[in-house]
Amino acid sequence: MHILHIIVHKICFFVSLIKNELSESIMKVVHQEAWVSLIGVVALIVSLYVNMTTLSSVIVACICVRCVYICTFYIGKSDPFLEFHRQLIDGSYSLAHRTEFIKKTLNPSWRPMKINTRRLCDNNPDNIIKVECYDWNSNGSHDLIGVFTTTLAELEQTSAGKRWPLVHPSKKGKRGYRHSGEIVVENILLKREFSFLEYIQGGCELNFVVGIDFTGSNGHPQDVNSLHYIGGGRPNQYVEALTAVGRVVQDYDSDQLYPAFGFGARLPPTWQVSHQFSLNGDPHNPDCHGIDGILGAYQQCIHTVQLYGPTNASPIIGSVARMAREALHQEQASNYYILLLLTDGILTDMDQTIHTIIEASELPMSVIIIGVGDANFDDMERLDSDDALLSLGSRVAKRDIVQFVPFREFKNVPKSRLAASVLEELPGQLTDYFNDRSYRPLNVMY
């Protein structure tokens, strides 16, 4: 029975990166039904495989559209955005995609968008697509500007520059009213996009790197209130977070060797502050074997170094970026780098960190930040940049590569939920990177 549980756990780890709720429900059944037979487990595995296969083929094509609205609405300017809806069998509509809103303009040009054609039209080029244009309001009561309908087939056959009039239903037919503006589809391209599972099954290696905050703000390791306190018979928050995430990620790194670094501590024998040092004490080879190896190196390190400061994250991010840059020469979907950064608060080198992340956004890498403790994490929320791409001056990131999660929100829940939240954006970040460069999964046969 122990072996069967191990098998199911491995499968659930794999599924957790894509659909964590599925894996949790399966493990609940397994733990409740201790008498599960071998036949039952085999059936369970087959069911899982079917689900994974479906998940791996969900995104088979994406449509890239750039929309421009070029008409005056009313007196004054608006904050327009678009909604794309697909028609269902019963004639109703379901939202497929919503653009960002553009502030104070009568001639908005929205960012190029990618829409899964299954969501857009159920992969039926003749299915009706309804496009609505709204004037955004902060209270959520957005004002309808106008509507038009089309099909994917019509969009594909349309020459660049064709206009679709936006008609408001309540104004249609009134004297002198023609439309409330026009939509211009400048360009449309259909292409296949591969899924996360297809890249992983094709042999893409996830390279896991760890960075741990050893600054003085964590508290002295011998103080029971310290975030680095080791004692009392229970793991500290750093250990809990590292274990929860590492146990999932390690299953996708074949050599089980992970570079692990600390930052913000004084190191013997000179006691100079270092913003990047190997947890295992070997400056020439920072690799630790498995998550247990990282934990062992961490516990040894915490008794050796002196916690100090400042909290500079850019050196470690830059170091992983250099690793990822080496993968560019391969020009294939063979390696993707993940930096797990654990820190307790405000960064001292915020601007430099933003600059480094913007540069890294062009590389095959993601940065996962776990905030430990109860400090102010506004800086981390800014780096996460879910609402708008990270920017500094005139420079803007190519894509969002940062995911931030505060550990305090997961103190009293199963740590599998922490891992799921931390890794939630990783599949999309990986697929966006490789698909945008038209890198197919290795060994793909179609």
Side-chain angles (χ1 to χ4, degrees):
M1 188 63 193
H2 175 68
I3 295 176
L4 298 181
H5 272 77
I6 292 176
I7 293 172
V8 175
H9 270 289
K10 288 293 183 181
I11 295 172
C12 289
F13 278 145
F14 191 57
V15 177
S16 67
L17 282 175
I18 304 298
K19 199 165 186 176
N20 189 67
E21 291 182 1
L22 177 63
S23 64
E24 285 191 357
S25 63
I26 290 167
M27 286 314 304
K28 184 177 181 180
V29 171
V30 171
H31 287 303
Q32 286 179 348
E33 305 293 343
W35 47 264
V36 173
S37 67
L38 178 59
I39 295 177
V41 172
V42 170
L44 184 63
I45 293 173
V46 171
S47 174
L48 264 173
Y49 179 79
V50 170
N51 277 285
M52 289 190 293
T53 302
T54 302
L55 289 167
S56 69
S57 59
V58 165
I59 301 178
V60 294
C62 286
I63 179 171
C64 302
V65 183
R66 181 172 181 266
C67 299
V68 181
Y69 183 80
I70 51 171
C71 186
T72 300
F73 305 129
Y74 316 106
I75 296 175
K77 296 183 178 180
S78 63
D79 305 325
F81 67 91
L82 297 178
E83 287 188 350
F84 290 75
H85 301 258
R86 78 175 184 275
Q87 189 177 52
L88 304 179
I89 296 176
D90 62 2
S92 63
Y93 288 89
S94 174
L95 179 64
H97 183 79
R98 180 184 290 115
T99 70
E100 79 281 11
F101 67 89
I102 309 295
K103 289 186 176 180
K104 298 181 179 180
T105 181
L106 299 178
N107 300 282
S109 181
W110 291 281
R111 289 196 303 262
M113 65 194 83
K114 292 194 297 184
I115 310 176
N116 184 335
T117 56
R118 179 171 294 183
R119 291 179 59 85
L120 183 64
C121 60
D122 285 325
N123 287 332
N124 179 358
D126 297 317
N127 201 16
I128 298 296
I129 300 168
K130 181 172 67 173
V131 183
E132 298 176 326
C133 185
Y134 287 91
D135 181 11
W136 179 86
N137 289 309
S138 59
N139 62 8
S141 59
H142 312 306
D143 298 317
L144 180 66
I145 294 171
V147 183
F148 75 92
T149 59
T150 184
T151 65
L152 182 58
E154 185 179 19
L155 290 171
E156 284 188 274
Q157 296 167 5
T158 299
S159 58
K162 179 181 176 179
R163 300 184 179 188
W164 277 267
L166 288 168
V167 178
H168 196 292
S170 66
K171 298 181 180 181
K172 185 177 181 180
K174 291 187 177 181
R175 179 181 296 182
Y177 179 77
R178 294 176 57 201
H179 55 70
S180 300
E182 295 174 313
I183 292 292
V184 178
V185 177
E186 299 283 0
N187 182 45
I188 183 170
L189 172 67
L190 294 183
K191 69 172 186 176
R192 175 171 182 185
E193 290 204 341
F194 296 96
S195 72
F196 177 76
L197 284 180
E198 287 173 310
Y199 282 113
I200 297 301
Q201 290 172 342
C204 181
E205 186 90 357
L206 300 185
N207 299 282
F208 186 49
V209 184
V210 174
I212 298 178
D213 183 344
F214 281 85
T215 56
S217 56
N218 285 280
H220 195 283
Q222 294 181 359
D223 185 340
V224 294
N225 296 315
S226 171
L227 296 173
H228 280 301
Y229 178 68
I230 297 179
R234 58 174 300 173
N236 61 42
Q237 292 186 30
Y238 282 95
V239 172
E240 283 189 286
L242 179 58
T243 302
V245 179
R247 296 295 184 207
V248 176
V249 176
Q250 70 176 358
D251 286 344
Y252 313 104
D253 193 323
S254 59
D255 62 10
Q256 297 287 292
L257 295 176
Y258 310 112
F261 302 99
F263 61 95
R266 283 177 165 176
L267 307 185
T270 61
W271 300 107
Q272 295 294 308
V273 175
S274 174
H275 301 300
Q276 181 180 345
F277 55 90
S278 302
L279 284 189
N280 62 11
D282 186 344
H284 304 294
N285 181 15
D287 291 346
C288 296
H289 189 270
I291 299 305
D292 290 336
I294 297 177
L295 293 174
Y298 163 74
Q299 293 179 358
Q300 180 65 32
C301 185
I302 201 66
H303 295 297
T304 305
V305 304
Q306 179 186 0
L307 275 59
Y308 204 69
T311 309
N312 291 350
S314 60
I316 287 183
I317 297 174
S319 178
V320 178
R322 287 189 290 274
M323 299 178 194
R325 196 173 298 279
E326 291 296 318
L328 287 179
H329 303 306
Q330 300 171 356
E331 296 186 347
Q332 59 183 2
S334 56
N335 284 278
Y336 194 86
Y337 289 81
I338 305 163
L339 170 61
L340 175 63
L341 193 66
L342 299 100
T343 182
D344 78 324
I346 299 172
L347 298 180
T348 311
D349 63 339
M350 186 62 175
D351 283 353
Q352 185 58 42
T353 296
I354 293 175
H355 173 78
T356 306
I357 290 173
I358 290 175
E359 287 193 334
S361 67
E362 302 184 52
L363 303 172
M365 68 173 284
S366 293
V367 180
I368 297 171
I369 303 175
I370 298 182
V372 178
D374 298 316
N376 185 321
F377 291 118
D378 288 348
D379 283 353
M380 306 307 167
E381 297 286 0
R382 180 183 174 190
L383 296 178
D384 197 349
S385 63
D386 283 335
D387 297 328
L389 290 174
L390 189 64
S391 64
L392 184 66
S394 61
R395 297 207 60 194
V396 181
K398 296 293 184 183
R399 60 193 182 96
D400 176 19
I401 67 169
V402 177
Q403 169 76 338
F404 168 69
V405 174
F407 183 86
R408 60 191 174 211
E409 294 183 2
F410 297 88
K411 279 185 177 180
N412 301 315
V413 299
K415 293 303 175 283
S416 59
R417 295 188 185 179
L418 170 67
S421 180
V422 165
L423 299 171
E424 180 180 6
E425 296 182 7
L426 176 61
Q429 291 172 351
L430 182 147
T431 55
D432 282 350
Y433 178 83
F434 289 130
N435 279 314
D436 287 348
R437 285 155 183 77
S438 299
Y439 291 168
R440 298 164 64 88
L442 300 178
N443 305 320
V444 68
M445 301 303 293
Y446 46 89

